[in-house]
């Protein structure tokens, strides 16, 4: 839905626009970098792992780490999760078990 709206706004050459989302949970360090343009930045292993979730993900999917999946389970959202068979090989991490998230209403 979002990519279709962007395609309409950005023009006909963007009709094949896709998005991948990667999430991880954990501590981060934040700061404002000054330069030509000041910008807010997040640093740390948590951020790097989230970037690996995005880069190894699939178009139109939300991929999360096992830690983030466990948090979703704590909040009774386990019905949102689909285990990615075989996980992924993430640079600097090796073999990592991941999950795809698809928010939906629980049946019943």
């Amino acid at each position: 839905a979002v990519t279709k709206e962007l395609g309409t706004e950005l023009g006909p050459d963007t009709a094949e626009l896709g998005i991948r989302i990667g999430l991880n949970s954990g501590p981060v360090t934040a700061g404002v970098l000054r330069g030509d343009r000041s910008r807010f930045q997040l640093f740390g292993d948590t951020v790097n792992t989230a970037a690996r979730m995005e880069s190894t993900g699939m178009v139109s999917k939300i991929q999360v780490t096992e830690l983030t999946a466990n948090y979703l389970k704590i909040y009774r959202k386990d019905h949102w999760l689909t285990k990615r068979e075989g996980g992924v090989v993430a640079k600097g991490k090796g073999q990592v078990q991941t999950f795809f998230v698809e928010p939906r209403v629980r049946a019943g």
Side-chain angles (χ1 to χ4, degrees), residues 42-58:
L42 295 174
F43 305 93
D45 186 61
T46 302
V47 176
N48 293 338
T49 303
R52 300 294 182 249
M53 292 301 97
E54 180 275 326
S55 65
T56 60
M58 298 172 73

Side-chain angles (χ1 to χ4, degrees), residues 8-31:
T8 301
E9 189 169 319
L10 297 176
D13 294 337
T14 58
E16 297 300 316
L17 186 63
I19 187 169
R20 295 183 312 228
I21 298 173
L23 299 175
N24 187 28
S25 302
V28 297
T29 301

Side-chain angles (χ1 to χ4, degrees), residues 36-91:
D36 292 339
R37 293 173 15 134
S38 295
R39 58 192 168 133
F40 184 75
Q41 196 85 41
L42 295 174
F43 305 93
D45 186 61
T46 302
V47 176
N48 293 338
T49 303
R52 300 294 182 249
M53 292 301 97
E54 180 275 326
S55 65
T56 60
M58 298 172 73
V59 174
S60 300
K61 298 263 187 188
I62 302 169
Q63 181 170 242
V64 301
T65 59
E66 190 165 24
L67 177 61
T68 299
N70 288 337
Y71 283 124
L72 289 169
K73 290 174 186 177
I74 289 169
Y75 289 98
R76 300 175 45 99
K77 300 298 181 187
D78 49 301
H79 60 285
W80 288 7
L81 299 169
T82 303
K83 187 175 183 178
R84 184 168 183 176
E85 293 303 320
V88 297
V89 176
K91 181 180 173 187

